[in-house]
Amino acid sequence: MTATVERPAEEQSWLLCAHCRSPLYAKRFRRALGVCARCGHHGRLTARERIAQLLDPESIEPIEVPPAPDDPLGFTDRLPYPERLAAARRDTGLAEAAVGARGTLEGNAVAAVAMDFGFMGGSLGGGVGEIITRTAEVALAERRPLLIVSASGGARMQEGPLSLMQMAKTSQALRRLDEAGVPTVSLVTDPTYGGVAASFASLCDVIVAEPGARMGFAGPRVIERTIGQKLPPDFQTAEFLLQHGHIDAIRARAELRPALRRILAGLGAAGPGPAAAEPAVTDALAVDPDELTTQDPWQTVRTARATERPTALDFIGLLVGDFEELHGDRIGGDCPATVGGVGLLDGQPVMVIGQQKGHTPAELTARNFGMPVPAGYRKAGRLMRLAEKAGIPVVTFVDTGGAYPGVEAEQNGQAAAIAENIRLMSGLRVPVVSVVLSEGGSGGALGLAVADRVLMLENAFYSVISPEGCAAILWRDPAAAAIAAAELGLTAPRLLATGVVDGVVREPPGGAQADHFAAADALSAALRSVLADLRTRSTAELLESRHARFRRFGAT
């Protein structure tokens, strides 16, 4: 869907929005970046317009790519393939359905390639595959993040199986960037189908889509005609894809540049931030259990569960600058009880992941009361692997009564999802810090808490089971929860004494719930100190120390 007559827009005074059919003044439409002011519909842009809108104008340097063979098969349908190519080149002024360039995006160096749907439906042929691959090779050679803007109906039929080989060729180029630790970002525009969706558009580290953009392997008409299934109205739209865990974010066109800048900065693509602080002991962090006041365990449990306490998103908002939330496990789900994304902590890039509850009944219900489903653990695992690729630390905020125990969670492999995260975290080649904010419930908490340093807030608790559950099983009386809490060793002083946690973050008078800002200041000081120390360690030291940390539990 697009404006009725789109090329060349400069020669028209008025256009019609293809979505709401409203008349649009052409100059105002271009100033709005091709977005209808009345309905918000995002019209199609040419590849050159995409590059011009996303990159800093003075920085753009085209990437020259030698032409691919024009007619490898001698293909003719109603017209010979060379005639179709000639018409597309004449109409668009492009040699092929993609344009590559190096430049900067709000000061961040990138290599970018944009596809043009106006050129034979943006179909993926040898020329397009070569442009994408050459641009990826520039990104690899110059260690620039790669940005791919997709717009395509799929593989180019006129090039037969050779067009399919472009899917393998471009995917192979992205694998090399993965191995080299070079970030990749996919911007999905409308439409993105077939071989493009099934290769580079879906393989990037972060996938952002414009509102309403459609992406899928088979188009809706093909699906309906093949299997006779009635499809939902929003099928394959960006909103559908976000809900089902296939993309990270939806951003309106005016928001793309700042959002992409935050993603690039959070992945460390902008280079190191200000010099990290030297390792130092902070008064905010207690490392000796004798420094802590003995607490009544049951009262601690009740305090930790107070809805007024700051949540993971509260702390992220207070501690992490330029935070850009990322979504989806890339398998089919996104978990509202698990949040995560990139940002700057004390000026340094970091991946932060947390279990999110809420403050009101509506928020708690929407976030599943902080109980993650398998998609949440898989999303967290995906983000941790991305942090490892980018070479940035991982900070996790634990706050859950436990993993969600429902039938659907079991069907989707809840135990396996937690187990995979435990194994993954034990071998991450970057610093990892976990903080129990309030409630650390069983394996659901441990799925985000295998770390170099495990901290907890002073009034938090961390337990193998809830006191109520323990009382019901061992005392056969849920009313014995207070007794069970005392026996479970779940308070900060007990956990610090046993080495389950490495430090306790002091809370302000009245607890973190009384002063979110003071609690955030204390946690910030603790994280700064711990991360500064971990950044001085080599990868081998981190891995060996982390292994030894967990190896000692239960040993004589």
Side-chain angles (χ1 to χ4, degrees), residues 162-236:
L162 295 175
S163 64
L164 292 180
M165 298 304 104
Q166 306 310 310
M167 297 168 63
K169 174 178 168 178
T170 53
S171 300
Q172 175 177 272
L174 286 180
R175 178 186 59 79
R176 288 193 166 189
L177 293 173
D178 288 338
E179 293 171 347
V182 177
T184 56
V185 180
S186 172
L187 173 56
V188 174
T189 73
D190 188 64
T192 297
Y193 277 111
V196 171
S199 57
F200 53 86
S202 296
L203 290 178
C204 291
D205 299 321
V206 178
I207 304 176
V208 179
E210 289 188 332
R214 295 164 296 167
M215 182 170 74
F217 182 61
R221 282 182 294 180
V222 172
I223 296 172
E224 289 179 338
R225 290 174 182 174
T226 302
I227 63 175
Q229 183 175 352
K230 182 69 175 176
L231 302 176
D234 66 343
F235 184 65
Q236 295 180 329

Side-chain angles (χ1 to χ4, degrees), residues 65-272:
V65 178
D70 269 357
D71 191 11
L73 301 182
F75 192 98
T76 299
D77 47 77
R78 288 174 298 159
L79 290 173
Y81 180 36
E83 291 187 23
R84 292 196 180 277
L85 281 174
R89 288 166 178 163
R90 182 176 59 252
D91 292 344
T92 64
L94 300 177
E96 255 298 349
V99 171
R102 56 166 66 82
T104 60
L105 192 158
E106 295 201 359
N108 297 281
V110 295
V113 60
M115 303 185 72
D116 196 314
F117 193 80
F119 192 110
M120 296 188 67
S123 51
L124 176 60
V128 174
E130 186 66 11
I131 291 168
I132 292 168
T133 301
R134 289 290 186 105
T135 306
E137 289 169 349
V138 168
L140 178 62
E142 301 177 6
R143 298 200 64 81
R144 294 169 175 257
L146 175 66
L147 171 62
I148 302 177
V149 185
S150 58
S152 176
R156 189 168 296 178
M157 293 176 286
Q158 291 87 346
E159 296 187 16
L162 295 175
S163 64
L164 292 180
M165 298 304 104
Q166 306 310 310
M167 297 168 63
K169 174 178 168 178
T170 53
S171 300
Q172 175 177 272
L174 286 180
R175 178 186 59 79
R176 288 193 166 189
L177 293 173
D178 288 338
E179 293 171 347
V182 177
T184 56
V185 180
S186 172
L187 173 56
V188 174
T189 73
D190 188 64
T192 297
Y193 277 111
V196 171
S199 57
F200 53 86
S202 296
L203 290 178
C204 291
D205 299 321
V206 178
I207 304 176
V208 179
E210 289 188 332
R214 295 164 296 167
M215 182 170 74
F217 182 61
R221 282 182 294 180
V222 172
I223 296 172
E224 289 179 338
R225 290 174 182 174
T226 302
I227 63 175
Q229 183 175 352
K230 182 69 175 176
L231 302 176
D234 66 343
F235 184 65
Q236 295 180 329
T237 63
E239 294 73 17
F240 177 93
L241 296 168
L242 183 66
Q243 179 184 354
H244 291 87
H246 298 299
I247 64 174
D248 286 286
I250 300 171
R251 292 290 178 267
R253 199 166 285 167
E255 301 171 343
L256 282 175
R257 274 172 56 87
L260 293 171
R261 175 191 58 77
R262 290 191 295 270
I263 291 167
L264 294 172
L267 292 174

Side-chain angles (χ1 to χ4, degrees), residues 269-451:
E278 291 296 321
V281 176
T282 171
D283 291 340
L285 187 64
V287 295
D288 182 346
D290 292 337
E291 300 173 21
L292 297 171
T293 304
T294 301
Q295 307 170 67
D296 174 69
W298 184 237
Q299 182 56 47
T300 296
V301 170
R302 297 175 67 183
T303 299
R305 290 172 174 170
T307 56
E308 299 84 7
R309 284 180 67 81
T311 65
L313 284 177
D314 291 330
F315 277 116
I316 289 171
L318 293 168
L319 298 178
V320 182
D322 278 348
F323 178 68
E324 186 70 20
E325 186 172 356
L326 306 177
H327 290 269
D329 66 354
R330 293 291 188 273
I331 297 174
D334 188 42
C335 173
T338 306
V339 297
V342 291
L344 303 177
L345 181 61
D346 198 29
Q348 298 289 320
V350 67
M351 180 71 73
V352 59
I353 304 165
Q355 292 161 329
Q356 174 67 16
K357 289 183 178 177
H359 296 293
T360 67
E363 289 174 339
L364 287 164
T365 301
R367 296 287 183 178
N368 208 26
F369 293 85
M371 295 185 291
V373 296
Y377 292 104
R378 292 180 178 127
K379 172 170 67 173
R382 180 178 76 85
L383 297 185
M384 287 187 277
R385 284 188 289 271
L386 175 54
E388 183 176 57
K389 171 184 171 177
I392 60 175
V394 173
V395 175
T396 68
F397 292 146
V398 174
D399 188 9
T400 182
Y404 185 70
V407 172
E408 187 175 355
E410 293 297 325
Q411 289 174 337
N412 288 315
Q414 183 72 287
I418 294 170
E420 287 290 345
N421 270 17
I422 292 172
R423 178 169 63 180
L424 171 67
M425 295 186 79
S426 70
L428 282 177
R429 300 173 64 82
V430 292
V432 185
V433 180
S434 295
V435 185
V436 182
L437 299 181
S438 292
E439 190 171 9
S442 190
L446 185 63
L448 286 187
V450 178

